[in-house]
Amino acid sequence: MKTLNNFTKGIIKENPVLVLVLGTCPTLATSTSVINALGMGAAATIVLFFSNILISALRKVIPDKVRIPCYIVLIAGLVTAVQMLVKAYAPALDESLGIYLPLIVVNCIILGRAEMFASKNKIFDSAVDALGMGLGFTLALFLMATIREVFGNGTFCGLEIPVLSDNKISIMTMAPGGFLVFGLLIAAVNKFGKHKPKKSEFGCAGCPQAEICSKAGCADVKEAAEND
């Protein structure tokens, strides 16, 4: 049950895009096309999967004071490898994604899972968490891209859709359309999803990372607030 929960939480309950609101920049930039969205989702998932495994395996070796630079070096190496593969076997996708493919290095989702989960859990659990979060990221991109491409270009995966191809809503492929779709999907997840944070003045009750967080930082902030 723990393994299943680690996998499924990233899809809806802790979806990195629609619940945790991470990776917003690549989400908005690459969701104008379904093919681009799936390509970005697959690339980020591969990097997330292997980075979680490596960081979990090395968690007892990496000194705490330099853990973030070490994580970034590992992630950068994996992103470089993925980018070279995409350039070699999918040059059109590489050209479409542009700068956003190498910028996976600083994607908050990948670094966030490395810090919050992989560095504190075993290899298998970290791998499962990466797959769940990667799938959640890809699904969010796919939903946004489907809506924006269908209504903005009148196509789906480049294939023209009758009627819609002659009645395009061009703003959907622009930044305002991206933010509109993004906001509507977040609202839908909050309305119909199971993610309903409890209201509290202070504490970890509404934090989706509460189960794996040491809560030490929160305790320090609370103590400082009380002293003031």
Side-chain angles (χ1 to χ4, degrees), residues 74-122:
L74 285 171
I75 294 168
L78 292 169
V79 171
T80 301
V82 170
Q83 186 179 11
M84 292 174 68
L85 289 172
V86 173
K87 281 182 178 291
Y89 297 102
L93 179 62
D94 176 69
E95 186 176 350
S96 297
L97 294 179
I99 190 63
Y100 294 101
L101 186 57
L103 280 179
I104 292 176
V105 173
V106 291
N107 192 309
C108 298
I109 299 170
I110 297 172
L111 190 58
R113 298 320 293 174
E115 172 68 10
M116 297 301 299
F117 197 92
S119 62
K120 298 178 178 67
N121 291 273
K122 296 180 180 180

